[in-house]
Amino acid sequence: MLERLHGAKEVLRNRIVLVVDDDARNIFALTSLLENHEMEVISTTNGRQAIELIERTPALSLVLMDIMMPDMDGYETMHEIRKNPAFRTLPILALTAKAMKGDREKCLNAGASDYIAKPVNTDQLLSLMRLWLFR
């Protein structure tokens, strides 16, 4: 059991994660959580800059994408990211406070690998991240 837990921590260690959210409080909370798991966090508050950061960060492991952002929302951002064949398999987890029936499918259709509702359950988020990073 201890070996399995250690292995689960190892999956996250030294991974680079991009957090995209227009609310600085969410970026701070997620960054604190991920850095406590020895992950490197880069962040931005908008979709256009997210695309630029993804293109400039070849070692990027995973993206946490807010859906409800002004200008370019998470759906449009994910759709643009997926247009580039180099990023078709990059894990993107959609985070949304607008957890309504059909939202999961809408996120997946836009290019999300998976979906989690806000407020984020940190254990659930870390488990989902391990799942996508272990592949």
Side-chain angles (χ1 to χ4, degrees), residues 14-18 40 42 53-62 87 90 133:
N14 299 322
R15 297 293 192 123
I16 301 173
V17 178
L18 171 61
E40 184 182 329
I42 54 178
L53 285 168
I54 290 168
E55 290 170 349
R56 289 195 324 248
T57 314
L60 185 67
S61 296
L62 186 133
F87 307 125
L90 174 68
L133 291 172

Side-chain angles (χ1 to χ4, degrees), residues 7-8 12 53 63:
L12 300 179
L53 285 168
V63 178

Side-chain angles (χ1 to χ4, degrees), residues 59-73:
L60 185 67
S61 296
L62 186 133
V63 178
L64 298 179
M65 179 73 65
D66 182 33
I67 295 300
M68 305 308 291
M69 295 184 292
D71 186 30
M72 185 177 195
D73 68 17

Side-chain angles (χ1 to χ4, degrees), residues 21 28-29 31 34 37-38 40-41 43 45 49 54 57 71 75 81 105 116 118 123 128-130:
D21 199 308
F28 178 79
T31 299
L34 301 175
H37 286 82
E38 300 178 49
E40 184 182 329
V41 180
S43 64
T45 57
Q49 192 175 17
I54 290 168
T57 314
D71 186 30
Y75 298 120
I81 292 165
E105 290 72 27
I116 189 165
K118 288 180 182 177
D123 290 336
L128 208 51
M129 290 174 70
R130 285 186 193 100

